[in-house]
Amino acid sequence: TTCATTSRIRNLKDPTPTTSQPPTMTDNTDNLRQRRGKKSSVPAAAKNSASSSEENASENTPSEQLQGAQAKLIVSRDRTADLHAAWKAQLFRLSLIIVFVSIYQVQSSLSTCIREIKDSNDPTGGSEAIVTGVEAIKLIFGDSFCELLGVFVSSMLAYFLALSNIAAVELEHWSYMISSALVPVCLGFFFHSKQLSCIGGGGDEIGDTDEPTRHQFPVVVIYHTIVTLAFWFMKSGMKQCEDHVQLVNKSIEDFARMDKKIALKKQLKKSGAKKK
């Protein structure tokens, strides 16, 4: 009996290892189904989130949708204003270059007229007219009057653009109006002085080679046209933005009035039902 009990105790302390059975076909199919279920759950969750977002968007009232559109329009209007400010700053920088170009045109016209007067006063030139003193000054400034007007017009435009960077200045400002009034005068003097020499003779006295370089086309006329078109486009663009914002504001006010009327009708119905 003692031997039997000892053998039983040994068997309890050192049990024999159980043999593991290989996985069956049913276990493999269950694993595949679980994996497919996990994969299919991802697009299903995405579809559910998309459908929930669509439901939230559809749940928004018309007034809330208009308020969102109003916020977007205000942002676009502010961006347009910033873009226009950058354009005005660039136009102002370019106007300074135009002023220097106009000054160069005055200098070239004055030097050409002075050379013509010297040639006319040269005794070997065969000319009998002698121009000196005050008459020479009158001829010089009279011949270069187109270029002098160009300098003045370019200065007025530069002043106008400098003010536009500081405050809201439109094309009705006096500096722009003066420059616009002087542009036709500048063109008239250009075409008139192009046909005459500095001393009052015809263009054939100067020679064909000097004729194209005597009076250059006033560049300020071209720049004045550019500034006018730029400000016109900027004004029309801002007007459209303001009109869109005002239209949305009116629509929001109309919907608010309609909501108030509907709320009043509901209150009246409830009060009538309570009385009955």
Side-chain angles (χ1 to χ4, degrees):
T1 58
T2 56
C3 291
T5 55
T6 55
S7 63
R8 288 177 182 176
I9 291 168
R10 287 177 182 175
N11 290 328
L12 290 172
K13 288 183 180 179
D14 298 327
T16 57
T18 59
T19 58
S20 60
Q21 296 179 356
T24 60
M25 292 296 293
T26 57
D27 295 334
N28 291 330
T29 54
D30 292 336
N31 292 328
L32 289 173
R33 287 176 182 175
Q34 289 177 359
R35 291 177 183 175
R36 289 177 181 175
K38 290 179 181 179
K39 291 181 181 178
S40 62
S41 63
V42 175
K47 290 180 181 178
N48 291 328
S49 62
S51 61
S52 62
S53 63
E54 290 178 356
E55 288 176 358
N56 292 327
S58 62
E59 288 176 358
N60 292 330
T61 60
S63 61
E64 291 177 353
Q65 294 178 2
L66 286 173
Q67 287 176 359
Q70 181 189 21
K72 292 179 181 179
L73 287 173
I74 290 172
V75 170
S76 65
R77 182 188 63 184
D78 295 337
R79 289 179 180 176
T80 304
D82 295 336
L83 180 62
H84 290 176
W87 286 357
K88 290 176 183 179
Q90 288 295 113
L91 288 172
F92 172 68
R93 296 187 188 99
L94 187 59
S95 68
L96 298 178
I97 299 174
I98 298 298
V99 171
F100 286 110
V101 173
S102 300
I103 292 172
Y104 170 76
Q105 288 181 343
V106 170
Q107 186 269 334
S108 62
S109 178
L110 291 174
S111 61
T112 302
C113 187
I114 291 170
R115 187 177 64 251
E116 291 176 1
I117 291 173
K118 287 182 179 179
D119 292 340
S120 66
N121 290 332
D122 189 5
T124 60
S127 177
E128 297 179 356
I130 298 174
V131 181
T132 57
V134 179
E135 187 178 358
I137 294 173
K138 290 180 180 179
L139 288 174
I140 290 170
F141 284 99
D143 183 71
S144 304
F145 193 72
C146 172
E147 287 78 8
L148 292 172
L149 278 179
V151 173
F152 183 76
V153 172
S154 61
S155 301
M156 287 289 102
L157 285 176
Y159 177 72
F160 169 72
L161 292 171
L163 288 178
S164 66
N165 290 326
I166 300 172
V169 179
E170 300 296 335
L171 295 178
E172 291 79 10
H173 195 261
W174 61 269
S175 58
Y176 176 81
M177 298 297 290
I178 291 173
S179 63
S180 300
L182 291 177
V183 165
V185 180
C186 185
L187 286 174
F189 274 100
F190 168 73
F191 289 111
H192 177 71
S193 60
K194 192 175 181 181
Q195 299 174 359
L196 299 175
S197 64
C198 182
I199 58 176
D204 54 349
E205 294 182 0
I206 297 145
D208 296 334
T209 58
D210 294 335
E211 180 66 22
T213 59
R214 281 195 69 256
H215 293 283
Q216 300 175 358
F217 187 81
V219 68
V220 70
V221 175
I222 301 173
Y223 187 66
H224 183 272
T225 306
I226 293 172
V227 171
T228 303
L229 293 176
F231 269 79
W232 183 77
F233 279 116
M234 286 188 284
K235 185 177 180 180
S236 62
M238 285 301 298
K239 188 176 183 300
Q240 288 180 358
C241 292
E242 292 291 342
D243 291 341
H244 292 162
V245 173
Q246 290 178 1
L247 180 62
V248 173
N249 290 333
K250 289 180 180 179
S251 300
I252 291 172
E253 291 176 357
D254 293 337
F255 274 104
R257 291 172 184 172
M258 290 174 64
D259 293 337
K260 288 181 180 179
K261 289 180 180 179
I262 293 170
L264 288 173
K265 288 181 180 179
K266 288 181 179 179
Q267 289 179 358
L268 291 174
K269 286 182 180 180
K270 288 181 180 179
S271 62
K274 288 179 181 180
K275 288 178 181 180
K276 288 180 181 180

